[in-house]
């Protein structure tokens, strides 16, 4: 049986694969009408990695990518082996876990942005329920700018049960809610932590909310009542990272 294949598009997503697993790249399509410095640098990197390059017009690349936002670059690649199990990942960590849990985030652009934030803040994994979440696709990979290749993303059958198992490991499960009495900035985040965020609007589901050890709110000073989930993820994860850097 042949190995499963997928498509990556956009400079960031394809460049990360060139860095991390060049042997998994079958071929890269590039638009020859784009001759700027960024494209020249990308081509040089691809040639250095020994990757097969194919010139193709923008329409052909768009058909492969399923999007016109490909920046003139798309790659056919072998799917990488799935991330090791969550338990194995947690057992191998040399520092207190920092996890991002997304409940009800179904928009691929939001998921991609959350993965990018998780990578930047040094989160060890992102967790989501199988039935109420977006999966990894080409759009997610493009928006994630390579983070879909570097951040383990676990889709679990029962989110409440998984949160319960995290709590049994001593991981503090902290949900975010606009009506929570305690501020994010009042909470110590240096220990084992899972930050739970729901989709903008409906927020976390009730069972997820009840499973959390505590609820926190992000202080809002202006007229806007809430933040996009990827922005809220950034605020929470970087506050946790800031506290850990000060230890």
């Amino acid at each position: 049986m042949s190995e499963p294949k997928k498509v990556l598009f956009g400079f960031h997503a394809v460049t990360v694969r060139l860095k991390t697993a060049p042997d998994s790249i079958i071929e890269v399509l590039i638009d020859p009408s784009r001759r700027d410095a960024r494209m020249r640098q990308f081509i040089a990197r691809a040639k250095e990695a020994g990757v097969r390059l194919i010139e193709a017009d923008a329409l052909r690349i768009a058909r492969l990518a399923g999007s016109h936002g490909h920046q003139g670059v798309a790659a056919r690649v072998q799917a990488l082996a799935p991330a090791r199990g969550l338990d194995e990942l947690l057992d191998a960590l040399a520092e207190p876990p920092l996890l991002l849990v997304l409940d009800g985030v179904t928009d691929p652009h939001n998921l991609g942005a959350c993965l990018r934030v998780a990578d930047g803040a040094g989160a060890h994994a992102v967790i989501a329920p199988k039935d109420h979440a977006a999966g990894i696709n080409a759009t997610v990979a493009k928006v994630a700018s390579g983070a879909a290749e570097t951040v383990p993303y676990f889709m679990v059958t029962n989110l409440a049960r998984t949160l319960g198992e995290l709590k049994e490991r001593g991981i503090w499960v902290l949900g975010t809610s606009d009506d929570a009495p305690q501020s994010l900035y009042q909470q110590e985040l240096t220990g084992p932590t899972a930050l739970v965020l729901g989709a903008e609007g409906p927020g976390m589901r009730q069972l997820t909310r009840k499973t959390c050890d505590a609820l926190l709110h992000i202080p809002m000073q202006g007229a806007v009542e809430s933040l996009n989930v990827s922005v809220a993820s950034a605020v929470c994860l970087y506050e946790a990272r800031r506290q850990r850097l000060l230890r």
Side-chain angles (χ1 to χ4, degrees):
M1 183 181 295
S2 61
E3 292 293 325
K5 299 176 178 62
K6 61 185 289 188
V7 174
L8 300 174
F9 64 89
F11 284 111
H12 282 298
V14 180
T15 298
V16 168
R17 180 60 73 95
L18 280 171
K19 290 179 179 178
T20 58
D23 292 342
S24 70
I25 299 176
I26 301 167
E27 60 190 16
V28 177
L29 277 64
I30 55 172
D31 184 351
S33 69
R34 180 162 181 171
R35 299 186 176 92
D36 56 280
R38 191 176 191 187
M39 179 63 84
R40 292 196 300 271
Q41 292 170 359
F42 174 83
I43 291 173
R45 184 186 295 271
K47 287 181 176 179
E48 183 179 350
V51 171
R52 182 188 181 200
L53 292 172
I54 299 174
E55 292 188 351
D57 61 34
L59 182 57
R60 180 183 172 189
I61 297 175
R63 287 172 179 158
L64 175 65
S67 169
H68 288 282
H70 50 70
Q71 300 175 307
V73 174
R76 289 189 179 93
V77 301
Q78 300 284 0
L80 298 177
R84 57 191 173 182
L86 179 58
D87 285 334
E88 185 179 349
L89 182 147
L90 293 173
D91 288 341
L93 292 180
E95 64 175 332
L98 177 58
L99 307 173
L100 175 63
V101 181
L102 302 174
D103 187 25
V105 177
T106 58
D107 181 84
H109 293 87
N110 279 336
L111 173 58
C114 287
L115 289 169
R116 186 173 184 176
V117 163
D119 179 88
H124 298 109
V126 176
I127 302 169
K130 287 182 178 178
D131 294 336
H132 299 274
I136 301 294
N137 58 25
T139 298
V140 172
K142 166 80 165 47
V143 176
S145 298
E149 302 283 312
T150 59
V151 179
Y153 181 56
F154 297 102
M155 300 187 77
V156 299
T157 302
N158 187 315
L159 183 60
R161 182 191 305 145
T162 298
L163 294 179
E165 292 169 352
L166 294 179
K167 292 164 71 172
E168 290 175 0
R169 281 180 166 270
I171 297 174
W172 199 242
V173 177
L174 302 171
T176 56
S177 176
D178 295 340
D179 60 3
Q182 184 175 350
S183 163
L184 170 72
Y185 304 122
Q186 296 172 314
Q187 177 67 46
E188 182 179 345
L189 302 170
T190 57
T193 302
L195 293 162
V196 188
L197 288 88
E200 186 177 5
M204 294 179 292
R205 290 171 295 169
Q206 281 301 313
L207 182 56
T208 304
R209 183 184 177 103
K210 291 178 181 178
T211 307
C212 293
D213 290 304
L215 297 176
L216 310 171
H217 72 268
I218 298 173
M220 302 292 292
Q221 303 302 312
V224 175
E225 295 181 355
S226 64
L227 299 173
N228 173 275
V229 65
S230 63
V231 176
S233 296
V235 172
C236 293
L237 288 174
Y238 274 95
E239 172 59 16
R241 182 54 59 192
R242 182 193 70 82
Q243 291 187 20
R244 290 169 183 225
L245 289 172
L246 291 176
R247 290 189 67 179

